[in-house]
Amino acid sequence: MDAMNKKGFTSLDYPLFETMRKKAPRAARYWLLGDRLFQVGLLLTIMFLPLAFYAYTQWGSGWFLIGVGVGLACSLCLLAAGVYYKRESYRLAIQAGIDVTGI
């Protein structure tokens, strides 16, 4: 068992990453980058959404709401970048002959 998996790595497609590491290292790097960006983006989005609603309902419009809006937009960009890199890793894995649906 890998050290990352022992620490509580929770991605459902982790076995695919192990296969990619052996057969398509570039795809594995894209997968790892995409997975980390997606997880960070999702966490930040979950944190910023309630904060945006709270700031809007309590203080109305202002600098704090603009800052929260920028933070929410950045977190959504991280989320989208994670999805993009994961998709690219799947594309590279398919080109390398890895079955991405069977694992």
Side-chain angles (χ1 to χ4, degrees), residues 42-96:
L42 185 62
L43 177 68
L44 289 174
T45 302
I46 289 171
M47 288 174 27
F48 273 111
L49 268 176
L51 187 58
F53 285 116
Y54 180 76
Y56 180 71
T57 58
Q58 296 299 318
W59 298 307
S61 60
W63 288 108
F64 187 73
L65 183 61
I66 291 171
V68 169
V70 168
L72 181 61
C74 290
S75 67
L76 289 173
C77 288
L78 287 174
L79 191 70
V83 170
Y84 171 77
Y85 279 112
K86 273 252 188 145
R87 188 187 70 189
E88 286 299 308
S89 74
Y90 291 157
R91 186 183 59 79
L92 290 171
I94 290 170
Q95 287 177 353

Side-chain angles (χ1 to χ4, degrees), residues 1-21:
M1 188 174 260
D2 191 40
M4 286 175 58
N5 205 11
K6 288 179 187 175
K7 293 180 183 178
F9 198 84
T10 59
S11 290
L12 296 175
D13 56 348
Y14 186 77
L16 178 62
F17 169 71
E18 289 293 329
T19 305
M20 281 187 217
R21 242 176 41 179

Side-chain angles (χ1 to χ4, degrees), residues 16 90 93-94 98-103:
L16 178 62
Y90 291 157
I94 290 170
I98 300 171
D99 181 23
V100 297
T101 60
I103 295 177

